[in-house]
Amino acid sequence: METAAAPPRVQALADAGVSLLPAQYVQPPELRPDPTSTHRRAPTAASLSVPVVDLSSPGAGDAVRRACAEWGAFHVVGHGVPPGLLDAMRGAGLAFFRSPMEEKLRFACDQARGAAAEGYGSRMLANDDSVLDWRDYFDHHTLPESRRDPTRWPNFVPGYRDTVVKYSDSMKDLAQKLLRIVSESLNLPPSYIEEAVGEVYQNITVSYYSPCPQPDLALGLQSHSDMGAITLLIQDDVGGLEVLKDGLWIPVPSLPDGILVILADQTEIITNGRYKSAVHRAIVNADRARLSVATFYDPSKSRKICTAPQLVCKEHPQKYQDVIYGDYVSSWYSKGPEGKRNIDALLIEQ
């Protein structure tokens, strides 16, 4: 169970009808999602949308190359994951968050296990001074199978544990398929990025963003890029996810039966910056709760991540220092995203 210092559940605050946003959730003015700001009214932003790639089409490789180079994020359809499994995973997550609080608290994170402990929580960072996200979550440790312990997952939602296992296996297969396409798009051997990442450590995080009394002051998830190799995300139809593109925040609506692919920092390191990890955030609203399911495909903590030598030359010198993934993760959890990209600390001065 979480310690007494743990913040209250966001859902409990929303259900209690708080009319003012508690101070620990108020973002600094420069990070707030001000609806009157220029980027929301810019015609350029309105005309941009995250690419959609049909993995079953003959031109999928070229489409992935363009999306990785220009966006770092793209929807995939024709991916082979049964729509019923996507619906089942969203449904299981929603059933958990709609369950009584006393049931949910039986599966609360154990803060003694460190930041990002498995289970039901509201705070992922170790830094107690950080502004909190307007979000609750359930984090599942799903791969390698030696980490997978379904007894740590809810048993009061019918079929929950079986659904998570099936979803985990399906997302692993899709992530590896995508990494092979990404490798080939850079003229690397198909298995290059997969082998560079090594044994996969997969977490599945179901996030629940309750209605917020002052959404213009808060964020459901602060601006950040993901730490690992690749993230696969599904969401409901409420909306709130945004990707940063050329200085503009671009809304990412849900795509029926689609899966959003988000390139993460270790892939940017391996590709020498040819492909960038996508900076993204989640905004909230006053009226409707939102649910998303993110599957993270990461290296082991002991893995050393290095730039592919084939992508280093005089015209493209190495951009990033090699890094032990566990050190990279520790630095993020100790200070939080702070609206910045953690990867920038590894830049090599040219």
Side-chain angles (χ1 to χ4, degrees), residues 6-334:
R9 303 300 177 196
V10 170
Q11 191 176 5
L13 293 173
D15 289 348
V18 294
S19 58
L20 296 176
L21 189 69
Q24 64 265 44
Y25 297 96
V26 176
Q27 293 289 331
E30 67 274 13
L31 298 181
R32 294 174 191 169
D34 183 356
T36 64
S37 65
T38 301
H39 71 254
R40 286 187 177 276
R41 291 184 281 110
T44 307
S47 66
L48 290 173
S49 59
V50 172
V52 179
V53 177
D54 184 349
L55 293 183
S56 67
S57 71
D62 288 339
V64 166
R65 179 189 298 111
R66 289 192 299 273
C68 288
E70 297 173 10
W71 284 83
F74 53 97
H75 290 288
V76 290
V77 296
H79 43 64
V81 181
L85 181 56
L86 303 181
D87 291 340
M89 188 64 233
R90 279 186 289 252
L94 191 59
F96 171 79
F97 282 102
R98 286 179 172 172
S99 297
M101 183 61 72
E102 58 269 23
E103 293 278 15
K104 292 188 291 232
L105 288 174
R106 290 171 43 215
F107 295 91
C109 297
D110 180 358
Q111 294 295 318
R113 299 170 72 92
E118 184 171 27
Y120 173 47
S122 300
R123 180 207 297 270
M124 273 199 172
L125 299 177
N127 181 2
D128 288 338
D129 296 329
S130 60
V131 178
L132 298 178
D133 294 328
W134 189 258
R135 174 184 78 129
D136 300 311
Y137 62 85
F138 197 107
D139 191 37
H140 311 75
H141 295 179
T142 44
L143 290 174
E145 290 192 20
S146 58
R147 295 171 74 228
R148 184 188 284 175
D149 182 3
T151 65
R152 295 183 177 274
W153 310 339
N155 60 353
F156 52 85
V157 175
Y160 188 104
R161 294 173 175 177
D162 287 343
T163 296
V164 172
V165 168
K166 291 176 183 175
Y167 190 76
S168 165
D169 293 341
S170 184
M171 290 300 103
K172 178 187 177 184
D173 291 344
L174 178 58
Q176 291 177 335
K177 177 179 181 178
L178 286 161
L179 290 178
R180 288 192 289 271
I181 295 173
V182 170
S183 293
E184 289 183 300
S185 75
L186 290 166
N187 296 317
L188 296 170
S191 62
Y192 190 92
I193 296 178
E194 194 177 334
E195 292 176 359
V197 170
E199 183 179 29
V200 57
Y201 275 64
Q202 183 197 71
N203 282 25
I204 296 175
T205 303
V206 181
S207 295
Y208 188 82
Y209 305 92
S210 296
C212 180
Q214 295 177 290
D216 294 346
L217 301 181
L219 285 170
L221 199 59
Q222 297 174 51
S223 170
H224 69 289
S225 57
D226 291 341
M227 295 179 287
I230 194 170
T231 303
L232 304 177
L233 184 138
I234 60 174
Q235 54 181 331
D236 61 18
D237 63 354
V238 173
L241 180 64
E242 296 182 330
V243 169
L244 189 64
K245 166 69 169 166
D246 299 331
L248 303 171
W249 284 108
I250 309 302
V252 184
S254 177
L255 188 66
D257 302 335
I259 297 172
L260 183 70
V261 180
I262 302 173
L263 295 190
D265 292 346
Q266 307 314 303
T267 295
E268 179 167 342
I269 293 171
I270 293 167
T271 65
N272 200 30
R274 304 286 183 92
Y275 295 163
K276 291 193 178 297
S277 57
V279 175
H280 53 288
R281 70 180 185 183
I283 62 173
V284 290
N285 69 82
D287 304 311
R288 297 181 66 191
R290 171 176 172 260
L291 182 129
S292 68
V293 183
T295 305
F296 302 97
Y297 186 106
D298 300 342
S300 73
K301 297 289 181 64
S302 61
R303 190 72 171 179
K304 185 177 184 180
I305 301 299
C306 309
T307 297
Q310 300 95 317
L311 301 179
V312 177
C313 60
K314 185 176 180 181
E315 292 76 21
H316 299 282
Q318 184 172 336
K319 288 189 66 173
Y320 297 107
Q321 303 169 40
D322 299 345
V323 67
I324 303 297
Y325 184 62
D327 295 341
Y328 191 84
V329 171
S330 296
S331 70
W332 193 93
Y333 278 118
S334 63

